[in-house]
Amino acid sequence: MKNKKLQGNVRDAALSILWAVENKQAYSNLLLNQTIQSYGIADKNKGLLTEITYGTLQHQMTLDYYLEPYLKGKIEPWVKTLLRMSLYQIVYLDRIPAHAVVHEAVEIAKRRGHGGVASVVNGVLRSIQRNGVRSYNEISNPIEKISIETSHPAWMIKRWSEQFGMEKAREMALENNRIPAQTVRVNTVKATVEEVVEMLQSEGLEAVRSALVPECLVVTNGHPVRTATFEKGFITIQDESSMLPVYGLQLEPGMKVLDMCAAPGGKTTHIAEKMNNQGKLFAMDLHQHKVKLIEETAGRLGHTIIETASGDSRESVERFGTEQFDRILVDAPCSGLGVIKRKPDIKYTKKEEDFARLQEIQCSLLGQAAQLLKKDGIVVYSTCTVDTVENRGTAERFLKEHPEMEKIQVTLPEALGKKNSGFVQIFPQDFGSDGFFIAAFRKKS
């Protein structure tokens, strides 16, 4: 592919991002911002660029299934990416006329390739327009069918079907392809929820209270990050589900708390708010550049009780000594299968062999937490995945290996009810938020 990019052109920019995600293992969310700058994409077109990029990634396997009958002979990989991206717009975006999509694709093909490539692109897209896309009913294997329909690898659908049943697996996969809600957390140390709703409205944004978490707002238009309300530290960006683990800690002002895997700081700053910015809060993360993110967020929100350190939390006992903390959060590294809606690349990069390796890290972190915790202290284990091995599996293994710990019910906001088994699994389709798991343990006195 010739590197003849079209400055300011949304579709050419989307092609660059998709190509890099596919070939350089780049992350779409990081690339998006860089590409907006380098292409000089106008404000009014940023939404479309995001939609084309993420939509094509979300539906990649489905689009390939639609394209397959129309691709004759060998085709350059970048041309396939261009066709996939164009087909996404034709099939999934009603507001863009198909002829405009085809015209743009042909122009990009001429510029990035040559006349021959342009005529192939034109031919394929016009044929699909004429004949339509093929049905999933051609696929007889039920796992395979859900896999293609929802664009999730077959191993993932099979694994979820075994863990939760086929219907739930399909529901979850379909939910993963929806556009996630935009949610923010109100900094309750600085203002009430009502005050923040008014602040956002005065800046032209509509915000409504979440039905689940009292300090969560759902923003239905505009960009909260570009508001004075955000800059002045009245809100921070966070998904609803990821606000729940901090409830499980049952925090009070004046406690000594450790957040073991804290970056980028969403839960750390939430802990500080639940402690009313009183007490001691240590935030650890493996990477120094990520620790900086925690510091920036804490600074913007005005939380002064947070002390950060970079290093491996699996060596925390050496750093702090035993029985030091009232509360510990282990928001552990995981496969991330609960956040596919926000990071569609995860579907194609995760491998089934990752799970056993991740469980070793999770158990090692929890083992440290058990030693660091004071008698009667609480540790909360959370992940942003839906996988049974990493969730219930890790939690049960931890209890088996640490007889000094006992499982307790997870404290949750009232809207979610009080009763639970001590293992809380939230699926993406439950509330339209991210998939999440939360378990709480107390150290016996």
Side-chain angles (χ1 to χ4, degrees):
M1 175 167 73
K2 292 178 199 159
N3 194 18
K4 287 186 175 175
K5 64 182 194 186
L6 289 155
Q7 274 307 106
N9 185 299
V10 172
R11 289 169 181 84
D12 196 61
L15 176 64
S16 293
I17 298 171
L18 292 164
W19 182 245
V21 168
E22 231 172 301
N23 294 280
K24 301 175 186 162
Q25 274 67 59
Y27 292 114
S28 54
N29 54 343
L30 302 177
L31 270 176
L32 196 62
N33 294 326
Q34 292 164 11
T35 308
I36 284 169
Q37 309 296 266
S38 70
Y39 266 81
I41 299 294
D43 275 357
K44 67 174 195 294
N45 292 331
K46 285 177 187 170
L48 181 61
L49 174 59
T50 307
E51 194 168 3
I52 293 174
T53 305
Y54 278 104
T56 305
L57 279 171
Q58 296 283 34
H59 299 281
Q60 184 172 308
M61 292 168 67
T62 314
L63 293 164
D64 286 353
Y65 174 76
Y66 289 159
L67 279 169
E68 195 187 17
Y70 295 97
L71 300 181
K72 307 280 179 264
K74 205 164 162 39
I75 186 165
E76 284 188 67
W78 72 267
V79 180
K80 189 172 185 182
T81 307
L82 174 60
L83 285 167
R84 198 188 272 157
M85 177 186 105
S86 306
L87 187 57
Y88 167 73
Q89 297 166 73
I90 292 169
V91 175
Y92 294 95
L93 299 184
D94 310 337
R95 63 181 187 280
I96 301 170
H99 65 84
V101 175
V102 177
H103 173 74
E104 282 266 357
V106 170
E107 287 306 306
I108 292 169
K110 273 184 206 159
R111 209 180 158 93
R112 297 270 196 159
H114 48 76
V117 176
S119 70
V120 167
V121 167
N122 187 44
V124 169
L125 293 175
R126 292 207 181 281
S127 299
I128 296 177
Q129 251 187 292
R130 262 197 318 276
N131 308 327
V133 293
R134 72 210 261 211
S135 155
Y136 306 126
N137 294 332
E138 291 176 27
I139 309 166
S140 54
N141 178 323
I143 297 280
E144 205 64 40
K145 190 174 182 175
I146 296 171
S147 165
I148 294 299
E149 175 198 9
T150 65
S151 193
H152 283 62
W155 71 261
M156 207 177 271
I157 298 296
K158 180 173 182 286
R159 192 177 175 97
W160 289 346
S161 296
E162 285 162 4
Q163 291 179 352
F164 315 115
M166 204 173 285
E167 198 178 320
K168 199 149 197 172
R170 181 174 177 270
E171 266 176 34
M172 178 153 52
L174 285 169
E175 178 64 39
N176 284 342
N177 291 337
R178 297 206 167 96
I179 294 167
Q182 214 175 186
T183 52
V184 301
R185 192 186 76 237
V186 173
N187 178 0
T188 49
V189 176
K190 274 194 170 179
T192 66
V193 176
E194 287 73 20
E195 286 167 340
V196 170
V197 169
E198 281 179 25
M199 286 177 202
L200 288 168
Q201 280 174 347
S202 74
E203 296 193 65
L205 275 73
E206 284 303 314
V208 292
R209 287 189 85 142
S210 139
L212 298 183
V213 182
E215 62 272 32
C216 174
L217 294 174
V218 182
V219 180
T220 50
N221 69 327
H223 301 280
V225 178
R226 297 190 202 146
T227 60
T229 311
F230 178 85
E231 260 170 59
K232 292 176 181 165
F234 289 102
I235 55 169
T236 200
I237 309 296
Q238 194 181 8
D239 180 74
E240 244 171 321
S241 295
S242 79
M243 298 180 202
L244 297 172
V246 169
Y247 276 82
L249 288 166
Q250 303 181 36
L251 294 157
E252 285 166 27
M255 283 182 166
K256 188 178 178 187
V257 181
L258 172 65
D259 186 351
M260 282 178 92
C261 313
K267 294 181 192 69
T268 314
T269 50
H270 196 194
I271 292 171
E273 284 152 29
K274 290 287 179 213
M275 292 165 72
N276 203 21
N277 199 30
Q278 293 164 38
K280 279 196 162 171
L281 173 50
F282 294 86
M284 295 270 302
D285 206 86
L286 195 52
H287 306 288
Q288 182 55 48
H289 69 278
K290 287 189 172 178
V291 169
K292 278 205 167 60
L293 298 174
I294 305 170
E295 289 165 359
E296 282 165 17
T297 302
R300 184 176 58 77
L301 296 170
H303 301 328
T304 51
I305 62 166
I306 299 169
E307 244 182 79
T308 58
S310 67
D312 192 338
S313 288
R314 288 173 292 182
E315 294 156 12
S316 301
V317 175
E318 285 170 44
R319 184 185 286 255
F320 296 109
T322 56
E323 307 211 335
Q324 291 296 311
F325 295 96
D326 301 298
R327 301 286 188 265
I328 298 174
L329 176 62
V330 180
D331 185 49
C334 70
S335 59
L337 299 184
V339 296
I340 288 173
K341 206 188 285 190
R342 285 168 210 286
K343 298 176 180 173
D345 339 20
I346 288 174
K347 293 195 282 197
Y348 316 114
T349 54
K350 283 289 171 248
K351 302 278 175 283
E352 211 163 354
E353 50 271 24
D354 295 342
F355 296 103
R357 180 184 57 82
L358 285 162
Q359 194 187 62
E360 290 310 313
I361 296 168
Q362 291 153 0
C363 287
S364 168
L365 288 164
L366 282 167
Q368 290 281 305
Q371 294 179 64
L372 292 161
L373 201 60
K374 291 177 186 174
K375 297 263 194 303
D376 260 341
I378 293 174
V379 58
V380 165
Y381 169 65
S382 64
T383 71
C384 59
T385 188
V386 292
D387 196 77
T388 309
V389 171
E390 297 175 88
N391 292 344
R392 181 176 283 273
T394 296
E396 284 172 350
R397 182 176 152 185
F398 171 63
L399 284 169
K400 202 183 278 166
E401 291 172 1
H402 292 272
E404 76 279 19
M405 302 298 296
E406 60 181 353
K407 177 172 82 161
I408 58 170
Q409 278 197 359
V410 180
T411 307
L412 292 168
E414 265 168 50
L416 280 157
K418 291 278 185 241
K419 290 264 176 278
N420 58 67
S421 65
F423 294 157
V424 175
Q425 177 67 68
I426 289 167
F427 291 99
Q429 67 268 35
D430 290 348
F431 310 107
S433 57
D434 290 344
F436 239 85
F437 175 81
I438 309 153
F441 311 97
R442 181 184 280 119
K443 192 171 192 172
K444 299 170 189 171
S445 54

